[in-house]
Amino acid sequence: MKALVYDGPRSVSVKEVPDARIERPTDVLVKITSTNICGSDLHMYEGRTDMETGRVLGHENMGEVVEVGDGVDRVRVGDLVCLPLNISCGFCRNCDRGLTAFCLTTPVDPKMAGAAYGFAGMGPYNGGQAELLRVPYGDSNCLVLPEEAREKQTDYVMLSDVFPTGWHCTELAGVQPGETVVIYGAGPVGLMAALSANLKSAAKVMVVDRHPDRLRLAEEIGAIPIDDSKASPIDQINEHTNGLGADRGCECVGYQAHDAQGTEHPNLTLNNLVHSVKFTGTIGVVGVFMPHDPGSPDQLYKKDGEVAFDYGLYWFKGQSMGTGQANVKAYNRQLCALIEQGKAKPSWIVSHELPLDQAPNGYQHYDARDDGWTKVVLHPDGTS
């Protein structure tokens, strides 16, 4: 099969690799029709993680079931399915609690929790930026989609990661109707957090970024764009909240946050949120942070994955914080219903749909944050 393979920092290529296949009775084999390039893929693409060369990338996947193992009861050949980025068993202690991002069965390392497709440090599983994908524990991991999804793939493929992750951030932040919300980062996850806050009837949603194309997308759904290259985002948020700060804050950037001058600071958005959120407010963090990052310019983070956090003010303001990867299965079914009923259209962020052969070009443009490249969907089956 054809697949996008990681060759090294800023080098990916489409190659012929052995076909994905059924390996265990509980497996499902999926012909991939849509798969997204994610911001987390860029961490690996840039060489900021310990991704092995030769691995197939891609954890935002959707496609048609072409084969099922003998132990699969619910999923049928011909079903159109979306796969959570989390590979989970569905029956371990954490999965029983809905914490499928922290599955105890699927990691190879017994000291780890959680696994994912084509993701550094999260198991040996190949990704779905390929013609075929093996899905372990298929009955648990396959979300069977409504028939209309065949014509609306750019909406439904967002159920794999980006839409549930944005929703998860608002859950961690505890967003309630009538509240003010500030979101740092207008990438796909930040935009989905803004959409999620709107769906939860937030009174005011502010999105901080400096890329005009991304801020325009935030504005399209009624969010207030905050351009941090023009003035302090903290001051701008205070102006919109009568000096009180937002009720809730969402961190959707992660450890590669940059200031307006282009300098990287892994603690930038965390500390800005402490200043931007009110006394007793809550912060949700879904931007990726690593246990260590040898490529960081910050010595504290480079060595031990530690950040200089403004804990004194955080404590003084009585704030609270929730963190971690999204448990996609906890949300994907209800978000699927919102799409099906016309209440949510997450595809508004999609800028490019490309065949798999053009994936290296898509990575290059997306990684450079080139204007207009806001979300890329790949179609390994050749559809558009």
Side-chain angles (χ1 to χ4, degrees), residues 2-4 31-38 41 56-63 81-83 117 127-133 153-154 156-158 160 350 352-356 359 363 375-381 383:
K2 287 183 178 180
L4 186 82
K31 182 179 81 170
I32 297 296
T33 56
S34 294
T35 176
N36 302 334
I37 300 177
C38 176
D41 291 328
V56 179
L57 295 170
H59 58 269
E60 297 190 8
N61 305 308
M62 170 182 169
V81 296
C82 190
L83 297 322
Y117 302 100
Q129 291 172 5
E131 293 179 314
L132 296 168
L133 178 67
Q153 293 202 25
T154 52
Y156 284 92
V157 71
M158 301 302 167
S160 58
V350 175
H352 293 78
E353 296 182 65
L354 304 175
L356 186 64
Y363 266 83
K375 187 65 173 176
V376 180
V377 182
L378 305 173
H379 297 291
D381 65 341
T383 60

Side-chain angles (χ1 to χ4, degrees), residues 54-285:
R55 287 280 300 279
V56 179
L57 295 170
H59 58 269
E60 297 190 8
N61 305 308
M62 170 182 169
E64 183 175 325
V65 175
V66 293
E67 188 179 350
V68 299
D70 293 340
V72 175
D73 293 325
R74 182 178 63 86
V75 179
R76 299 285 184 265
V77 171
D79 283 346
L80 193 66
V81 296
C82 190
L83 297 322
L85 80 100
N86 325 115
I87 304 175
S88 58
C89 66
F91 55 78
C92 73
R93 182 176 61 194
N94 284 347
C95 286
D96 271 349
R97 297 170 57 206
L99 304 174
T100 53
F102 305 91
C103 177
L104 300 172
T105 304
T106 51
V108 174
D109 183 349
K111 296 180 180 179
M112 279 291 293
Y117 302 100
F119 210 107
M122 299 199 71
Y125 306 95
N126 270 330
Q129 291 172 5
E131 293 179 314
L132 296 168
L133 178 67
R134 170 189 168 235
V135 180
Y137 300 104
D139 272 338
S140 179
N141 285 306
C142 290
L143 175 68
V144 179
L145 301 171
E147 189 60 30
E148 73 159 22
R150 296 183 187 277
E151 305 302 322
K152 296 181 178 180
Q153 293 202 25
T154 52
D155 283 314
Y156 284 92
V157 71
M158 301 302 167
L159 295 169
S160 58
D161 173 6
V162 63
F163 192 8
T165 295
W167 187 274
H168 182 58
C169 197
T170 64
E171 288 285 298
L172 292 173
V175 174
Q176 298 293 320
E179 292 187 324
T180 56
V181 182
V182 59
I183 297 163
Y184 275 80
V189 170
L191 291 170
M192 290 298 163
L195 174 63
S196 300
N198 280 343
L199 289 167
K200 292 182 174 185
S201 299
K204 182 181 289 187
V205 179
M206 298 159 283
V207 179
V208 180
D209 206 295
R210 68 187 64 100
H211 291 89
D213 53 346
R214 296 180 174 193
L215 290 173
R216 282 194 298 270
L217 288 172
E219 200 168 17
E220 283 181 17
I221 59 168
I224 299 169
I226 305 289
D227 187 338
D228 69 353
S229 69
K230 294 182 177 178
S232 161
I234 299 165
D235 292 343
Q236 294 183 69
I237 292 155
N238 280 331
E239 288 178 9
H240 285 286
T241 58
N242 297 318
L244 298 175
D247 295 307
R248 313 288 177 176
C250 294
E251 201 290 329
C252 301
V253 180
Y255 69 104
Q256 286 183 271
H258 288 70
D259 61 26
Q261 290 72 45
T263 303
E264 184 176 316
H265 304 277
N267 59 347
L268 178 66
T269 49
L270 291 173
N271 287 336
N272 279 350
L273 276 161
V274 171
H275 287 266
S276 302
V277 172
K278 72 176 186 179
F279 281 76
T280 72
T282 309
I283 299 166
V285 182

Side-chain angles (χ1 to χ4, degrees), residues 343-376:
K343 299 295 178 100
K345 189 174 179 59
S347 63
W348 107 96
I349 68 170
V350 175
S351 58
H352 293 78
E353 296 182 65
L354 304 175
L356 186 64
D357 288 343
Q358 292 184 28
N361 184 54
Y363 266 83
Q364 184 177 358
H365 284 287
Y366 194 44
D367 181 56
R369 311 307 196 263
D370 285 340
D371 187 62
W373 287 79
T374 53
K375 187 65 173 176
V376 180

Side-chain angles (χ1 to χ4, degrees), residues 274 278-280 310-319:
V274 171
K278 72 176 186 179
F279 281 76
T280 72
D310 197 347
Y311 188 79
L313 183 60
Y314 171 77
W315 182 92
F316 192 73
K317 294 180 77 171
Q319 295 172 340

Side-chain angles (χ1 to χ4, degrees), residues 276-323:
S276 302
V277 172
K278 72 176 186 179
F279 281 76
T280 72
T282 309
I283 299 166
V285 182
V286 295
V288 173
F289 288 84
M290 308 297 291
H292 68 281
D293 175 24
S296 178
D298 183 285
Q299 291 304 307
L300 191 63
Y301 195 68
K302 180 177 183 176
K303 181 181 177 182
D304 298 315
E306 298 177 357
V307 297
F309 180 57
D310 197 347
Y311 188 79
L313 183 60
Y314 171 77
W315 182 92
F316 192 73
K317 294 180 77 171
Q319 295 172 340
S320 55
M321 181 184 294
T323 69

